[in-house]
């Protein structure tokens, strides 16, 4: 995410899709803190649960709370193939300092397989929906008087209200 200007983000959601039918399920999602450098250059071929970034090496199921931050618990009543899991990752992006955001799906009530970026159904591939706010940022100080004002509309909203000034 090194190319994303995270200061101006208003929202950021990662959308994942289930690849196989799992029925009703729940799971937790956490992100690995930037100061955790465990196996930072992992690939899908050489990482397992025990040596994955942020995991507690003394447990087969727990994350190290000093190395990870819980985003939340997600529950789905159907668990059908293609069902989307939408995760608010704004905090993970905004606290990122190294351009790498690692998410951990854990404590699942069922074995889950999430569609990857190479899935044959393009709509099932993971994607990120971000909405950026205005520049200069809200609360930014010492902005040059000749600053260029900009605003990027989000993809999925029906309408927007954009205000210039301190009182709409």
């Amino acid at each position: 995410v090194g190319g994303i200007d995270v200061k101006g983000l208003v929202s950021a959601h990662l959308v994942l899709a289930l690849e196989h039918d799992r029925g009703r399920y729940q799971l937790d999602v956490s992100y690995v803190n930037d100061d955790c450098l465990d196996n930072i250059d992992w690939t899908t071929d050489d990482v397992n649960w025990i040596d994955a970034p942020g995991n507690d090496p003394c447990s087969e199921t727990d994350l190290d709370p000093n190395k990870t931050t819980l985003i939340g618990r997600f529950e789905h009543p159907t668990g059908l193939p293609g069902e989307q899991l939408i995760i608010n990752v704004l905090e993970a992006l905004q606290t990122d300092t190294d351009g790498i955001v690692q998410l951990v799906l854990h404590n699942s009530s069922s074995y889950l397989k999430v569609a990857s970026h190479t899935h044959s159904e393009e709509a099932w591939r993971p994607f990120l929906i971000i909405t950026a706010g205005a520049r200069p940022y809200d609360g930014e100080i010492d902005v040059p008087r000749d600053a260029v004002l900009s605003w990027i509309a989000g993809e999925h909203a029906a309408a927007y209200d954009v205000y210039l000034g301190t009182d709409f």
Side-chain angles (χ1 to χ4, degrees):
V1 295
I4 297 175
D5 183 10
V6 296
K7 289 183 194 174
L9 293 181
V10 174
S11 67
H13 293 88
L14 177 65
V15 181
L16 304 173
L18 284 181
E19 189 165 0
H20 298 289
D21 184 2
R22 291 296 169 210
R24 180 185 172 103
Y25 72 93
Q26 65 184 20
L27 77 152
D28 294 337
V29 178
S30 296
Y31 64 90
V32 179
N33 302 336
D34 279 356
D35 59 353
C36 173
L37 302 177
D38 301 347
N39 203 355
I40 194 74
D41 296 321
W42 67 273
T43 68
T44 55
D45 295 330
D46 60 14
V47 72
N48 59 46
W49 177 256
I50 299 302
D51 64 358
N55 289 354
D56 181 346
C58 299
S59 169
E60 293 184 12
T61 59
D62 295 331
L63 298 179
D64 184 334
N66 297 314
K67 296 180 179 181
T68 59
T69 301
L70 179 67
I71 292 175
R73 169 156 283 197
F74 298 85
E75 297 185 35
H76 286 276
T78 59
L80 297 174
E83 179 178 70
Q84 293 182 331
L85 173 64
I86 301 172
I87 305 164
N88 182 346
V89 295
L90 183 61
E91 178 184 338
L93 295 181
Q94 289 182 326
T95 59
D96 177 62
T97 60
D98 62 4
I100 301 168
V101 175
Q102 299 179 87
L103 298 177
V104 181
L105 307 171
H106 58 105
N107 292 333
S108 176
S109 60
S110 176
Y111 176 77
L112 298 177
K113 185 170 183 185
V114 176
S116 74
H117 65 283
T118 59
H119 195 277
S120 60
E121 294 284 338
E122 188 173 343
W124 290 20
R125 296 176 186 168
F127 61 94
L128 188 62
I129 301 172
I130 58 173
T131 304
R135 291 207 60 202
Y137 310 115
D138 186 25
E140 191 170 349
I141 58 173
D142 296 327
V143 176
R145 292 181 62 132
D146 61 349
V148 176
L149 302 179
S150 65
W151 175 74
I152 300 171
E155 292 180 40
H156 302 286
Y160 300 93
D161 291 322
V162 178
Y163 301 99
L164 298 176
T166 58
D167 185 359
F168 67 90

